[in-house]
Amino acid sequence: MREIEVKGQTEEEALNEALNTLKAEREEVNYERISESDDNGVALRVSFKGPEETVKALIRYFLGELGFKASVRIKRDSRGLYMNIKTKRSDRLLIGKHGETLFALQYLISRIVRRDYPTLSVLIDVGGYRLRRQNYLRRKAEAVARIVVETGKEMAMDPLTEKERRIVEEVLKDIAGVTCYAIGTGHKQNVIIVPSHEGK
């Protein structure tokens, strides 16, 4: 929802009603009067200034419904929006076991955002968890690959999402003598690192 129309006895009342409905801050919206009379008060058309404000308000709305108080920081680059959520003491709860709660929030927000911004990529993070996770996966893939090269025996990593598997695959491209394949079905699959002459 990027735009709504609201009425109030005064412009301030109408604008506050819109901000409450959109879960937005005043600096995140544009508004214009669409009607005005002594009897009916003031009607405003209120809209977000851009996708950053839209996504930020969506996140605030869902977090509020879940009982979380948090701040949201936005970074935009050529790949899209990176939204980092920070709570006072609830980051682990919002991330969930192995990131499951975070991934669910990511899926929900992305589906809603695509309705208005079909080409916009949005990455949701909590307390920098994704960055730490990516660094961990790179180190783990390198360590397992070294063992595979030294022993000549295949080794399995923990079940990984599709995006996490791509991180591992990128790391292994730069390591001679190993390759990998995935087994299993569903959201997460096991990645097996093998000597390249034994790869499937």
Side-chain angles (χ1 to χ4, degrees), residues 156-160 165 181-185 188-193:
M157 295 187 65
D158 295 333
L160 304 175
R165 292 196 299 273
Y181 63 92
I183 59 174
T185 59
K188 291 188 174 183
Q189 297 180 2
N190 284 95
V191 172
I192 312 299
I193 299 179

Side-chain angles (χ1 to χ4, degrees), residues 154-181:
E154 67 179 40
M155 290 186 65
M157 295 187 65
D158 295 333
L160 304 175
T161 65
E162 182 180 354
K163 288 185 177 180
E164 290 174 336
R165 292 196 299 273
R166 286 203 294 266
I167 293 172
V168 171
E169 289 167 359
E170 285 298 318
V171 170
L172 297 182
K173 284 180 181 178
D174 297 327
I175 301 177
V178 294
T179 186
C180 70
Y181 63 92

Side-chain angles (χ1 to χ4, degrees), residues 73-134:
R73 293 201 170 186
I74 307 173
K75 185 183 294 184
R76 184 164 193 171
D77 58 25
S78 58
R79 293 170 294 182
L81 297 180
Y82 172 75
M83 319 289 289
N84 190 30
I85 302 167
K86 295 205 73 174
T87 68
K88 287 187 176 180
R89 288 181 291 272
S90 303
D91 281 6
R92 290 182 64 183
L93 186 60
L94 191 54
I95 292 168
K97 186 177 181 181
H98 302 307
E100 292 295 340
T101 305
L102 172 58
F103 297 149
L105 181 63
Q106 169 77 55
Y107 176 79
L108 185 60
I109 295 293
S110 296
R111 288 292 299 269
I112 296 173
V113 169
R114 285 196 192 103
R115 297 176 186 174
D116 292 328
Y117 303 100
T119 62
L120 180 66
S121 174
V122 177
L123 183 65
I124 310 296
D125 200 358
V126 175
Y129 167 81
R130 286 184 185 272
L131 182 59
R132 295 195 303 274
R133 176 70 174 168
Q134 289 173 7

Side-chain angles (χ1 to χ4, degrees), residues 39-72:
D39 295 331
N40 297 324
V42 177
L44 300 179
R45 180 179 292 114
V46 184
S47 61
F48 287 108
K49 290 181 177 179
E52 292 94 337
E53 291 78 16
T54 303
V55 178
K56 192 173 183 179
L58 265 175
I59 292 174
R60 276 201 302 259
Y61 170 77
F62 282 112
L63 293 182
E65 290 296 302
L66 293 170
F68 291 100
K69 291 185 178 180
S71 62
V72 182

